[in-house]
Amino acid sequence: MSNATTKQRESIWWKLHIDWPLLIGLLAVLVLGGFVLYSASGESRAMVTRQFMRIALAIVVMIVLAQLSPDTYRRWAPPLFIAGFLMLVAVLIIGHIGKGAQRWLDLGLFKFQPSEIMKIAVPLMVSRFVSQNPLPIRFKNLLIGLAIALAPPLLIAKQPDLGTALLVAVSGIFVLFLAGMSWRLVLAAIVAVASFIPVLWFFLMHEYQRQRVLTFLNPESDPLGAGYHIIQSKIAIGSGGIFGKGWMHGTQSQLDFIPERHTDFIFAVFSEEFGLIGISVLLLLYFYIIGRGLYIAIQGQNAFERLLAGSITLTFFVYVFVNIGMVSGLLPVVGVPLPLVSYGGTSIVTLLAGFGMLMSIQTHKRFYAQ
């Protein structure tokens, strides 16, 4: 065993199963998110305090999950997936209805959203299934993997919650892609999805969802109604310029022109106050986290570890891409928060749970004498 490897195993971080390069990147984004949330919330100390309490809980969850070995996750994948799927079915039957959506199970003391479990359970289950079969993945196993990856999102979309359904589906599909799906199959999938769009538009999408797409294509058609969010968001992003207007000095955000400014549209607040330089810093931090995640995926000791780590990392990238794209007017609004920055506890706990699994993969390696 090399001296470098021995020193790494003897470090306090390694014994705690914490990947400190990844931890530093996560903490940097969380702290930056705390500053922008204070401004976006109208200087609400109570909201920021609640958010940091949720972050503290999420960090505890991340550290606890980092202690478990990847083999443990492999064993837990089927029962976790089955339990989550049954809870999604229960949501459609007896779920709590709030704000026009049926997404929660009322457990008395609190309401629970089972779709969040599937953000972890789906990549776990697909990774387990794929890794048990020869790679690159064969057509029969690809179909089974697609069934595992797409069944939960279909139930989630009926709640309706297109944003979460998209993220859950993507987390499973990334596993199949990383497993060696041929480009001919990728092209065939794109053609199939394109052919399915008319069915989706006329028979499966709700009226408000169709309106979101139309607003995305031409927000100026209804500047005081459906297009208001995007128009105000783009004004805020553009008015930030290179250096921004300064922390808590953004006119669009402080004068309440930006709706949902502390949740889905917090990137517009950040852009207005910190400008192009601030955006660049935030994106560099995101790319650093993604790069570290991909490094951990490459270093995985078996197919299950590599596929799971790759899926978690690339799904995090989709979080960033979709939120910034929809706030900038490049994508339809689908309700995806800006990861580690937007207000909300469930999203942060789920994200850091995934990063805890990444740390587990990195720090539970078996070393052999060289």
Side-chain angles (χ1 to χ4, degrees):
M1 186 182 297
S2 66
N3 291 333
T5 300
T6 302
K7 290 180 180 179
Q8 187 182 35
R9 293 193 69 185
E10 290 176 350
S11 70
I12 184 66
W13 296 106
W14 197 265
K15 292 177 180 178
L16 292 175
H17 297 291
I18 301 298
D19 182 67
W20 67 264
L22 179 58
L23 179 64
I24 289 175
L26 295 173
L27 292 178
V29 176
L30 288 169
V31 171
L32 195 60
F35 278 102
V36 68
L37 178 61
Y38 183 70
S39 175
S41 64
E43 303 179 36
S44 172
R45 294 185 179 181
M47 182 177 292
V48 174
T49 299
R50 287 195 299 271
Q51 182 72 349
F52 274 104
M53 290 176 63
R54 291 165 174 171
I55 290 173
L57 172 63
I59 291 175
V60 170
V61 171
M62 179 182 70
I63 294 174
V64 170
L65 292 181
Q67 311 310 306
L68 305 176
S69 70
D71 288 338
T72 301
Y73 292 120
R74 189 201 302 269
R75 292 194 302 270
W76 282 8
L80 183 64
F81 179 85
I82 293 171
F85 190 84
L86 291 177
M87 284 190 285
L88 287 179
V89 174
V91 165
L92 296 179
I93 300 173
I94 58 171
H96 173 80
I97 300 175
K99 297 182 179 180
Q102 190 168 340
R103 303 174 183 172
W104 301 270
L105 288 178
D106 192 343
L107 302 180
L109 295 177
F110 61 93
K111 296 179 180 65
F112 175 67
Q113 192 169 352
S115 58
E116 292 296 325
I117 288 182
M118 304 313 289
K119 292 180 181 178
I120 298 295
V122 166
L124 267 175
M125 188 62 195
V126 180
S127 297
R128 174 190 165 98
F129 169 75
V130 171
S131 64
Q132 290 177 331
N133 295 280
L135 297 179
I137 190 169
R138 298 174 181 175
F139 184 71
K140 176 184 176 182
N141 292 332
L142 174 63
L143 293 180
I144 298 174
L146 281 173
I148 297 172
L150 297 181
L154 290 175
L155 294 179
I156 296 171
K158 289 181 66 65
Q159 295 178 358
D161 188 354
L162 281 183
T164 301
L166 169 68
L167 293 172
V168 172
V170 162
S171 68
I173 292 173
F174 272 137
V175 174
L176 300 175
F177 180 77
L178 294 172
M181 183 192 305
S182 72
W183 285 104
R184 285 184 297 178
L185 290 176
V186 173
L187 181 60
I190 293 174
V191 172
V193 170
S195 303
F196 186 69
I197 288 177
V199 177
L200 178 67
W201 179 267
F202 289 108
F203 300 104
L204 298 180
M205 292 181 70
H206 295 262
E207 179 60 34
Y208 81 92
Q209 292 168 338
R210 288 194 288 266
Q211 187 60 49
R212 283 182 177 180
V213 177
L214 295 175
T215 301
F216 156 68
L217 296 173
N218 185 20
E220 286 75 15
S221 63
D222 189 8
L224 297 179
Y228 180 81
H229 287 60
I230 297 299
I231 292 173
Q232 297 302 322
S233 177
K234 291 196 291 186
I235 290 173
I237 294 172
S239 65
I242 296 178
F243 300 102
K245 296 179 179 178
W247 185 43
M248 298 192 298
H249 289 89
T251 52
Q252 293 295 113
S253 55
Q254 298 302 321
L255 296 178
D256 242 354
F257 283 102
I258 303 176
E260 307 295 336
R261 58 183 181 173
H262 62 288
T263 52
D264 292 352
F265 282 80
I266 198 169
F267 181 75
V269 178
F270 182 89
S271 302
E272 184 181 26
E273 296 186 353
F274 297 99
L276 179 61
I277 293 178
I279 293 173
S280 300
V281 171
L282 179 62
L283 290 179
L284 283 174
L285 288 173
Y286 277 139
F287 286 137
Y288 169 78
I289 293 171
I290 293 167
R292 183 62 184 176
L294 292 176
Y295 172 81
I296 293 174
I298 293 172
Q299 296 295 313
Q301 296 189 118
N302 53 55
F304 173 76
E305 294 181 8
R306 291 190 291 270
L307 293 172
L308 179 60
S311 173
I312 292 172
T313 303
L314 292 177
T315 304
F316 179 77
F317 165 77
V318 172
Y319 260 100
V320 176
F321 179 80
V322 171
N323 178 270
I324 294 178
M326 74 179 194
V327 172
S328 305
L330 302 176
L331 294 172
V333 177
V334 292
V336 174
L338 185 62
L340 308 178
V341 176
S342 292
Y343 178 76
T346 307
S347 173
I348 287 182
V349 171
T350 304
L351 283 169
L352 291 190
F355 285 117
M357 295 165 66
L358 277 181
M359 292 182 181
S360 168
I361 291 171
Q362 175 66 5
T363 61
H364 281 85
K365 293 178 179 178
R366 300 177 181 88
F367 294 98
Y368 300 94
Q370 297 180 350

